[in-house]
């Protein structure tokens, strides 16, 4: 149980285009979803946290207009990188947390999306 | 405030030998502690967690971790390492006393198991 999927796993796009990444909790309801960015050989950098039906909370230094996050349902969150540039190339990982006090009250991670902006 | 320290960037161990990956933490309330493993170009996989109860927590793939409150540590261990255990390991902590529900991750420790 507690599987999180991410789509696509890999995307290459041209500079200036927008890219949408989907994150789904497959067998549990995710009250909270997290989006991370990871640079090579580095730890996870939390970008934003979102609760279903409400606006995402962005970490300091993360541009909310560039990284649009939507958490429309208890099983789906999307991250849209708008007007992507080469410096946005990175590994993006989502994470989902179930209901507090239940067996899914732990962060479960998706497999990640490798974004390359040319 | 909460923080995690993984003092070793890399741990090398021979296959069949016991392994330890170190983690120390700081949190103002009750610590909820987690270990995750990441294989190349993959997301993080949950290994185990400590919330309450026995200090020795058993997790996936034969891993275990020992919660030591006096030393504020939560070291990951395995009695006999496999080459397939080679990966990046992350320790995380969050405040279980009603503080931030967002865990803080360590910078990761690369485990290399030699044949």
């Amino acid at each position: 149980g507690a599987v999180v999927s991410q789509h696509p796993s890999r995307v290459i796009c041209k500079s200036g285009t927008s890219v949408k990444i989907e994150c789904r909790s497959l067998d549990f309801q995710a009250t909270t979803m997290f989006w991370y960015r990871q640079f090579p050989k580095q730890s996870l950098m939390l970008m934003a946290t979102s609760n279903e039906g409400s606006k995402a909370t962005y970490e300091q230094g993360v541009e909310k207009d560039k990284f649009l996050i939507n958490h429309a349902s208890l099983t789906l969150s999307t991250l849209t990188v708008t007007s992507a540039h080469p410096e946005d190339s990175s590994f993006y990982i989502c994470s989902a947390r179930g209901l507090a006090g239940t067996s899914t009250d732990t962060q479960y991670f998706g497999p990640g999306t490798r974004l390359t902006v040319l | 405030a909460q923080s995690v320290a993984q003092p070793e960037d890399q741990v090398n161990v021979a296959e069949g030998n016991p392994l330890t990956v170190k983690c120390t933490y700081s949190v103002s309330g009750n610590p909820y502690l987690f270990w995750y493993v990441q294989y190349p170009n993959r997301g993080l996989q949950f290994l185990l967690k400590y919330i309450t109860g026995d200090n020795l927590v058993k997790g996936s793939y034969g891993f275990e971790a020992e919660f030591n409150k006096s030393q504020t540590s939560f070291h990951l261990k395995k009695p006999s390492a496999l080459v397939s255990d080679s990966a990046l390991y992350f320790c995380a902590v969050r405040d279980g006393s009603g503080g931030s529900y967002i865990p803080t991750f360590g910078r990761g420790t690369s485990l290399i198991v030699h044949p």
Side-chain angles (χ1 to χ4, degrees):
Chain A
V3 177
V4 177
S5 71
Q6 241 179 284
H7 178 80
S9 59
R10 186 180 295 268
V11 58
I12 300 172
C13 69
K14 292 182 179 180
S15 185
T17 61
S18 293
V19 174
K20 180 185 283 189
I21 302 170
E22 289 188 350
C23 177
R24 295 180 184 271
S25 57
L26 297 184
D27 49 4
F28 68 102
Q29 292 184 327
T31 53
T32 309
M33 285 189 169
F34 307 82
W35 285 95
Y36 292 86
R37 186 173 177 177
Q38 187 180 33
F39 294 97
K41 298 184 179 181
Q42 293 191 26
S43 188
L44 305 171
M45 183 193 83
L46 180 64
M47 299 174 66
T49 305
S50 71
N51 292 298
E52 184 262 341
S54 60
K55 289 184 178 180
T57 301
Y58 290 81
E59 295 299 298
Q60 192 172 6
V62 178
E63 298 175 62
K64 62 179 66 176
D65 293 332
K66 181 166 188 62
F67 298 100
L68 300 178
I69 291 171
N70 183 278
H71 191 166
S73 76
L74 285 172
T75 59
L76 173 65
S77 176
T78 60
L79 167 68
T80 301
V81 182
T82 62
S83 187
H85 291 284
E87 58 265 29
D88 299 324
S89 299
S90 192
F91 194 53
Y92 292 87
I93 308 175
C94 77
S95 172
R97 174 174 172 254
L99 290 169
T102 69
S103 61
T104 56
D105 184 15
T106 297
Q107 275 190 269
Y108 295 97
F109 286 80
T113 297
R114 173 73 60 192
L115 171 63
T116 303
V117 185
L118 302 176
Chain B
Q2 58 193 36
S3 65
V4 171
Q6 290 181 245
E8 304 153 315
D9 287 338
Q10 185 172 303
V11 170
N12 291 280
V13 65
E15 187 174 31
N17 283 359
L19 69 87
T20 299
V21 183
K22 295 180 180 177
C23 172
T24 58
Y25 67 89
S26 174
V27 66
S28 54
N30 292 328
Y32 284 11
L33 295 153
F34 308 84
W35 274 103
Y36 291 87
V37 60
Q38 183 181 32
Y39 296 98
N41 295 311
R42 305 292 293 275
L44 276 66
Q45 294 180 33
F46 171 74
L47 278 179
L48 51 80
K49 67 180 177 182
Y50 171 84
I51 302 298
T52 186
D54 289 341
N55 290 342
L56 185 63
V57 180
K58 294 188 182 297
S60 306
Y61 312 121
F63 284 93
E64 58 188 28
E66 186 168 10
F67 170 63
N68 187 316
K69 187 174 182 179
S70 62
Q71 296 185 3
T72 62
S73 67
F74 190 58
H75 301 330
L76 181 70
K77 300 181 180 184
K78 188 173 182 180
S80 179
L82 299 172
V83 173
S84 58
D85 292 329
S86 300
L88 192 56
Y89 291 80
F90 290 96
C91 180
V93 67
R94 71 175 176 94
D95 189 338
S97 302
S100 171
Y101 61 86
I102 301 173
T104 298
F105 284 81
R107 63 181 183 177
T109 298
S110 177
L111 172 67
I112 300 175
V113 181
H114 302 278

